[in-house]
Amino acid sequence: MPPPINPDLRRQVIAIYKELIHLGRDYPQGFDWFRPRLHAAFMANAHLQDEEQIRKGIERAEFVRKEIEALYYLKRYRTLRKRYDADA
C-alpha cells in the first residue's frame, strides 16, 4: 500500500486545478477545448507519489497559469490599442 499523500500538497494541486479551470473559461479556443486538455494533463500525473515530483508538477501548473494570464493581458492590451490608437 502506497504511503498517504501529504494533505498540503493535495490542497495545492486542487487549488491550482480550480484556478486553471476558472482561467480556462475565457480561453481563446473555448472552454470546451481547454477543459479536456487540462483534465488529461492532471490525470497523466495522478499516479505520482513522490512529493518532489508532485512539487515539480505544481510548479509547472503555476507556470502555465502565469502564461495564460499573460495571454489574457496581451489580448486586452491589443484590443485597447486597436480601439484608441488610430494608426494600429
Side-chain angles (χ1 to χ4, degrees):
M1 186 167 139
I5 297 174
N6 184 340
D8 187 46
L9 287 177
R10 179 176 161 77
R11 182 189 55 76
Q12 289 177 9
V13 169
I14 292 170
I16 190 70
Y17 182 79
K18 287 181 179 180
E19 272 187 67
L20 288 170
I21 285 287
H22 182 71
L23 286 173
R25 291 182 181 158
D26 297 326
Y27 200 73
Q29 293 177 329
F31 187 67
D32 293 334
W33 183 91
F34 182 83
R35 188 188 177 283
R37 284 164 177 75
L38 177 66
H39 183 73
F42 271 78
M43 291 309 293
N45 293 314
H47 68 281
L48 295 179
Q49 296 291 327
D50 181 34
E51 287 191 12
E52 188 59 36
Q53 292 294 326
I54 295 171
R55 289 184 208 287
K56 285 183 182 178
I58 292 171
E59 287 176 14
R60 184 170 183 193
E62 289 287 342
F63 173 77
V64 170
R65 180 184 57 81
K66 289 176 186 176
E67 288 292 315
I68 292 172
E69 287 176 347
L71 175 75
Y72 292 161
Y73 289 133
L74 182 61
K75 182 179 175 184
R76 185 172 59 181
Y77 169 77
R78 286 178 177 165
T79 301
L80 290 173
R81 185 166 178 203
K82 283 181 186 177
R83 197 173 290 163
Y84 294 109
D85 191 8
D87 298 330

